[in-house]
Amino acid sequence: MSLKLKHAPRGWNSWDCYLAAVDEATVKRNADYMAANMKDAGYEYVVVDIQWSEPVPYEGIYRPFTELCMDEYGRLMPAETRFPSAAGGKGFKPLADYIHGLGLKFGIHIMRGIPRQAVTRNCAILGTSFTARDAAKTASICAWQTDMYGVDTEKEAGKAYYKSIFELYASWDVDFIKVDDICRELPKEEQELIDLADALHHCGRDIVLSLSPGPALLEKAELYKQISNMWRITDDFWDEWRLLKAMFERAEKWSIHTGMNHYPDADMLPIGALRQFFDPDARTNFTQDEQITMMALWCIFRAPLIAGCELTKNDDFTLRLLTCPGFMEMHEQARDAHQVFRKEIEGHEIVLWTASRRDGGRYFAAFNLSDEEADITFSLEELEITSEEICAEDLWEEKKYTFRQEISLCLPTHGAKAFRY
């Protein structure tokens, strides 16, 4: 991969708000907001999530065996009823051009495999004498969605089909592809993943490769790192405290696998205005303190920051959380992040993380996983600090503190504090 990422991807994805029903006007609206309010903070990817080829989405959910928009070569195309600029076979190129015109990058979601309807019609595979039936692995199907069969990449027809779709996406100037139904399917579908990634990396365009859904397999970490830029370590992550609390164990296990161009993915940030397809007034169930905890963990861990909200409905808190300068710096600068301890302090379950700073200095973040406010104290020695005094800056409050021999903090219920020192 020639792609060089400055930091883990930051952007927006349509799923948390619009499920399988996002349209072009919505994508443009959110892109406009990102360009005006978030681009300077490093947000750049605008991603259209699942089933953009469905002409008439029903309540945002999947319709089993529905008719999808597809070209003569068995390649799914954007539904013109939802993406009118795709008319005339233009695909996502006009929308990508619009996004690029804002100084941003464009991404799409795809499912592993080949459309079942392409196999039923036995479509030709572009540039070959093969057909869809030659490429399909009909015994390999998604457990939760009916659109696709797997692709048999042990056959030349299978390799040719993947080559044809990624060349199509490259012609649309796509910058980011989220491939679903593949991350946790190893080792069963490992060869398909390897060959899919190879086709993407040889399509003639640098494209971020994101693998879903999780949980990813820890024993396959080196493979994920070699062939992709991010991979989901969890199933769909929503705005429930139990899911956020569980993420600490996942992050601790995966922290050693974060590095240049490859990032364990804790999924989208379910903050702000969510579930807009069902309720235009819906907001996240997370408290503000829980949202700060989430952002502090994602940033010190260097997980991708992909907002799942309707950006145009951001309140001041949500926009500040997404673009907080201290958090953004930690997200870019943190190195060798790891959990120092997870233990009970004065009756409260406390987690402490630390990381070095690429340009010098260090970070630490303390998290209160208990259900009440916690006044805690721990020694500088527990952070392996040899001096008797440090000056530290709170990344959220932007205030400086001096700690002598020990660190004393008041952490809100489910809250966190992160510092640079």
Short mmCIF file of all heavy atoms in Angstrom, two decimals, residues 6-32:
data_model
loop_
_atom_site.label_atom_id
_atom_site.label_comp_id
_atom_site.label_asym_id
_atom_site.label_seq_id
_atom_site.Cartn_x
_atom_site.Cartn_y
_atom_site.Cartn_z
N LYS A 6 -1.94 10.37 7.93
CA LYS A 6 -1.35 11.20 8.97
C LYS A 6 -1.78 10.73 10.35
O LYS A 6 -1.03 10.81 11.32
CB LYS A 6 -1.76 12.66 8.76
CG LYS A 6 -1.12 13.64 9.74
CD LYS A 6 -1.55 15.07 9.42
CE LYS A 6 -0.91 16.05 10.38
NZ LYS A 6 -1.34 17.45 10.10
N HIS A 7 -3.00 10.23 10.44
CA HIS A 7 -3.56 9.70 11.68
C HIS A 7 -4.70 8.76 11.31
O HIS A 7 -5.06 8.63 10.13
CB HIS A 7 -4.05 10.83 12.59
CG HIS A 7 -4.89 11.86 11.90
ND1 HIS A 7 -6.15 11.58 11.37
CD2 HIS A 7 -4.67 13.17 11.64
CE1 HIS A 7 -6.65 12.67 10.82
NE2 HIS A 7 -5.77 13.65 10.96
N ALA A 8 -5.26 8.09 12.29
CA ALA A 8 -6.41 7.22 12.02
C ALA A 8 -7.50 8.03 11.36
O ALA A 8 -7.70 9.21 11.67
CB ALA A 8 -6.91 6.61 13.33
N PRO A 9 -8.24 7.44 10.40
CA PRO A 9 -9.25 8.20 9.67
C PRO A 9 -10.26 8.89 10.58
O PRO A 9 -10.69 8.35 11.59
CB PRO A 9 -9.92 7.12 8.81
CG PRO A 9 -8.84 6.11 8.57
CD PRO A 9 -8.08 6.07 9.87
N ARG A 10 -10.63 10.10 10.16
CA ARG A 10 -11.69 10.87 10.82
C ARG A 10 -12.72 11.24 9.76
O ARG A 10 -12.35 11.62 8.64
CB ARG A 10 -11.13 12.16 11.44
CG ARG A 10 -10.06 11.93 12.51
CD ARG A 10 -9.46 13.26 12.98
NE ARG A 10 -8.30 13.03 13.85
CZ ARG A 10 -7.43 13.97 14.18
NH1 ARG A 10 -7.59 15.20 13.72
NH2 ARG A 10 -6.41 13.68 14.97
N GLY A 11 -13.99 11.12 10.11
CA GLY A 11 -15.00 11.44 9.12
C GLY A 11 -16.41 11.24 9.62
O GLY A 11 -16.70 11.35 10.83
N TRP A 12 -17.30 10.93 8.69
CA TRP A 12 -18.74 10.75 8.96
C TRP A 12 -19.23 9.56 8.16
O TRP A 12 -18.80 9.32 7.03
CB TRP A 12 -19.51 12.01 8.54
CG TRP A 12 -21.01 11.89 8.64
CD1 TRP A 12 -21.77 12.08 9.75
CD2 TRP A 12 -21.93 11.60 7.58
NE1 TRP A 12 -23.11 11.90 9.46
CE2 TRP A 12 -23.23 11.61 8.13
CE3 TRP A 12 -21.77 11.31 6.22
CZ2 TRP A 12 -24.37 11.34 7.36
CZ3 TRP A 12 -22.90 11.05 5.45
CH2 TRP A 12 -24.19 11.07 6.02
N ASN A 13 -20.16 8.80 8.79
CA ASN A 13 -20.79 7.65 8.13
C ASN A 13 -22.30 7.76 8.35
O ASN A 13 -22.76 8.15 9.42
CB ASN A 13 -20.23 6.35 8.71
CG ASN A 13 -20.87 5.11 8.10
OD1 ASN A 13 -22.04 4.82 8.34
ND2 ASN A 13 -20.10 4.36 7.34
N SER A 14 -23.07 7.37 7.36
CA SER A 14 -24.52 7.59 7.37
C SER A 14 -25.32 6.58 8.20
O SER A 14 -26.50 6.81 8.48
CB SER A 14 -25.04 7.56 5.93
OG SER A 14 -24.78 6.29 5.32
N TRP A 15 -24.71 5.47 8.64
CA TRP A 15 -25.47 4.36 9.21
C TRP A 15 -26.24 4.72 10.48
O TRP A 15 -27.43 4.40 10.61
CB TRP A 15 -24.56 3.17 9.47
CG TRP A 15 -25.22 2.05 10.23
CD1 TRP A 15 -25.06 1.73 11.54
CD2 TRP A 15 -26.17 1.12 9.71
NE1 TRP A 15 -25.84 0.65 11.88
CE2 TRP A 15 -26.54 0.25 10.77
CE3 TRP A 15 -26.75 0.92 8.46
CZ2 TRP A 15 -27.45 -0.79 10.62
CZ3 TRP A 15 -27.67 -0.12 8.30
CH2 TRP A 15 -28.01 -0.96 9.37
N ASP A 16 -25.60 5.34 11.44
CA ASP A 16 -26.24 5.57 12.74
C ASP A 16 -27.48 6.45 12.65
O ASP A 16 -28.34 6.42 13.54
CB ASP A 16 -25.25 6.23 13.72
CG ASP A 16 -24.25 5.22 14.29
OD1 ASP A 16 -24.33 4.04 13.93
OD2 ASP A 16 -23.40 5.64 15.09
N CYS A 17 -27.57 7.23 11.58
CA CYS A 17 -28.74 8.10 11.40
C CYS A 17 -29.76 7.53 10.43
O CYS A 17 -30.96 7.62 10.66
CB CYS A 17 -28.30 9.46 10.89
SG CYS A 17 -27.80 10.60 12.17
N TYR A 18 -29.27 6.97 9.32
CA TYR A 18 -30.17 6.66 8.20
C TYR A 18 -30.17 5.19 7.80
O TYR A 18 -30.86 4.82 6.85
CB TYR A 18 -29.81 7.56 7.01
CG TYR A 18 -29.93 9.02 7.38
CD1 TYR A 18 -28.80 9.78 7.67
CD2 TYR A 18 -31.17 9.61 7.51
CE1 TYR A 18 -28.91 11.11 8.05
CE2 TYR A 18 -31.30 10.94 7.89
CZ TYR A 18 -30.16 11.68 8.16
OH TYR A 18 -30.29 13.00 8.54
N LEU A 19 -29.45 4.36 8.52
CA LEU A 19 -29.39 2.93 8.22
C LEU A 19 -29.22 2.71 6.72
O LEU A 19 -28.29 3.23 6.14
CB LEU A 19 -30.64 2.24 8.78
CG LEU A 19 -30.84 2.37 10.31
CD1 LEU A 19 -32.09 1.61 10.75
CD2 LEU A 19 -29.64 1.89 11.08
N ALA A 20 -30.10 1.95 6.08
CA ALA A 20 -29.93 1.62 4.66
C ALA A 20 -30.68 2.59 3.75
O ALA A 20 -31.03 2.23 2.63
CB ALA A 20 -30.40 0.19 4.41
N ALA A 21 -30.95 3.81 4.22
CA ALA A 21 -31.84 4.70 3.47
C ALA A 21 -31.28 6.09 3.21
O ALA A 21 -32.05 7.00 2.89
CB ALA A 21 -33.17 4.81 4.21
N VAL A 22 -29.99 6.30 3.31
CA VAL A 22 -29.45 7.64 3.09
C VAL A 22 -29.59 8.03 1.62
O VAL A 22 -29.61 7.17 0.73
CB VAL A 22 -27.97 7.71 3.54
CG1 VAL A 22 -27.05 6.95 2.58
CG2 VAL A 22 -27.52 9.14 3.74
N ASP A 23 -29.70 9.34 1.37
CA ASP A 23 -29.81 9.80 -0.02
C ASP A 23 -28.78 10.89 -0.30
O ASP A 23 -28.05 11.34 0.59
CB ASP A 23 -31.23 10.29 -0.34
CG ASP A 23 -31.68 11.44 0.56
OD1 ASP A 23 -30.81 12.16 1.11
OD2 ASP A 23 -32.90 11.61 0.71
N GLU A 24 -28.72 11.31 -1.55
CA GLU A 24 -27.68 12.24 -1.99
C GLU A 24 -27.76 13.58 -1.28
O GLU A 24 -26.73 14.14 -0.87
CB GLU A 24 -27.78 12.44 -3.50
CG GLU A 24 -26.69 13.31 -4.07
CD GLU A 24 -26.62 13.24 -5.59
OE1 GLU A 24 -27.34 12.42 -6.20
OE2 GLU A 24 -25.82 13.99 -6.17
N ALA A 25 -28.97 14.11 -1.13
CA ALA A 25 -29.11 15.42 -0.49
C ALA A 25 -28.59 15.38 0.94
O ALA A 25 -27.95 16.34 1.41
CB ALA A 25 -30.57 15.85 -0.52
N THR A 26 -28.84 14.28 1.64
CA THR A 26 -28.37 14.14 3.02
C THR A 26 -26.86 14.07 3.08
O THR A 26 -26.22 14.70 3.93
CB THR A 26 -28.99 12.89 3.65
OG1 THR A 26 -30.42 13.00 3.63
CG2 THR A 26 -28.52 12.69 5.07
N VAL A 27 -26.27 13.31 2.16
CA VAL A 27 -24.82 13.20 2.13
C VAL A 27 -24.18 14.57 1.87
O VAL A 27 -23.24 14.97 2.56
CB VAL A 27 -24.38 12.19 1.06
CG1 VAL A 27 -22.86 12.17 0.92
CG2 VAL A 27 -24.89 10.79 1.39
N LYS A 28 -24.72 15.31 0.92
CA LYS A 28 -24.16 16.62 0.60
C LYS A 28 -24.32 17.58 1.78
O LYS A 28 -23.40 18.37 2.07
CB LYS A 28 -24.85 17.19 -0.64
CG LYS A 28 -24.44 16.52 -1.94
CD LYS A 28 -25.11 17.18 -3.13
CE LYS A 28 -24.60 16.61 -4.45
NZ LYS A 28 -25.26 17.25 -5.61
N ARG A 29 -25.46 17.53 2.44
CA ARG A 29 -25.71 18.40 3.58
C ARG A 29 -24.67 18.18 4.69
O ARG A 29 -24.11 19.12 5.25
CB ARG A 29 -27.11 18.15 4.11
CG ARG A 29 -27.52 19.00 5.30
CD ARG A 29 -28.97 18.76 5.65
NE ARG A 29 -29.22 17.44 6.21
CZ ARG A 29 -30.03 16.53 5.69
NH1 ARG A 29 -30.67 16.75 4.55
NH2 ARG A 29 -30.21 15.36 6.29
N ASN A 30 -24.40 16.92 4.98
CA ASN A 30 -23.43 16.61 6.01
C ASN A 30 -22.00 16.93 5.56
O ASN A 30 -21.17 17.36 6.36
CB ASN A 30 -23.57 15.15 6.43
CG ASN A 30 -24.71 14.94 7.38
OD1 ASN A 30 -24.58 15.09 8.59
ND2 ASN A 30 -25.89 14.59 6.84
N ALA A 31 -21.73 16.74 4.28
CA ALA A 31 -20.41 17.09 3.76
C ALA A 31 -20.17 18.60 3.85
O ALA A 31 -19.08 19.05 4.21
CB ALA A 31 -20.27 16.61 2.32
N ASP A 32 -21.19 19.37 3.51
CA ASP A 32 -21.07 20.83 3.61
C ASP A 32 -20.74 21.25 5.04
O ASP A 32 -19.88 22.12 5.27
CB ASP A 32 -22.38 21.50 3.17
CG ASP A 32 -22.64 21.38 1.68
OD1 ASP A 32 -21.69 21.09 0.93
OD2 ASP A 32 -23.80 21.56 1.27
#
